[in-house]
């Protein structure tokens, strides 16, 4: 984390209805019903987000019902995403579920889509 930046955690027992706009890095374990705009987003496995997400970087592990726009996007195998995904750099772990379209951000795609082997394959 850069000096001077802050980090906010939304706990598993928290439900937020409304949009979130933050210059801070967010870690969401709870439920958000609204759009999220932040610098960096980390979503816990049990988390649920219903709304559009815009972030510089995002690491998704839970359920999302809405579009995601991020420069650097990582979708982990536990993620369940329903919505379009816009990215510059994209990593998808084997087993992740995405129901939507993938498109590079309007500027340009920095890196191609990259498949990451699951831990089972890595052990073989």
């Amino acid at each position: 984390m850069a000096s001077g930046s802050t980090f906010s955690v939304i706990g598993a027992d928290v439900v937020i209805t409304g949009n979130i706009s933050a210059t801070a890095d967010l870690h969401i374990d709870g439920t958000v019903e609204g759009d999220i705009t932040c610098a960096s987003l980390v979503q816990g496995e049990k988390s649920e987000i219903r709304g559009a997400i815009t972030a510089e970087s995002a690491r998704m592990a839970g359920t999302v019902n809405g579009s995601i726009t991020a420069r650097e996007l990582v979708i982990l195998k536990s993620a369940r995403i329903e919505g379009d995904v816009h990215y510059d750099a994209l990593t998808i772990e084997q087993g992740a579920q995405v129901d939507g379209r993938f498109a590079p951000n309007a500027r340009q795609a920095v890196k191609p889509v990259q498949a990451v082997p699951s831990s089972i394959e890595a052990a073989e």
Side-chain angles (χ1 to χ4, degrees):
M1 252 186 282
S3 61
S5 67
T6 57
F7 191 83
S8 296
V9 176
I10 296 173
D13 60 338
V14 177
V15 176
I16 295 177
T17 302
N19 297 338
I20 298 173
S21 180
T23 55
D25 297 343
L26 294 178
H27 184 114
I28 298 177
D29 285 323
T31 299
V32 176
E33 296 181 20
D35 297 344
I36 299 171
T37 302
C38 62
S40 177
L41 174 65
V42 175
Q43 181 192 30
E45 285 187 28
K46 305 286 186 201
S47 171
E48 186 172 345
I49 298 171
R50 291 185 289 276
I53 297 167
T54 303
E56 285 293 309
S57 67
R59 185 175 182 89
M60 312 311 294
T63 301
V64 177
N65 190 323
S67 65
I68 301 172
T69 302
R71 283 184 34 177
E72 294 181 28
L73 178 60
V74 177
I75 302 174
L76 300 176
K77 64 184 173 187
S78 58
R80 304 295 175 255
I81 297 171
E82 186 173 322
D84 294 344
V85 176
H86 304 275
Y87 59 89
D88 283 350
L90 175 64
T91 302
I92 303 175
E93 199 171 50
Q94 185 174 353
Q97 294 178 7
V98 180
D99 181 8
R101 293 177 297 174
F102 288 92
N105 285 328
R107 291 181 301 247
Q108 66 179 8
V110 175
K111 295 180 183 176
V113 174
Q114 176 183 2
V116 176
S118 67
S119 56
I120 295 169
E121 288 180 338
E124 291 179 353

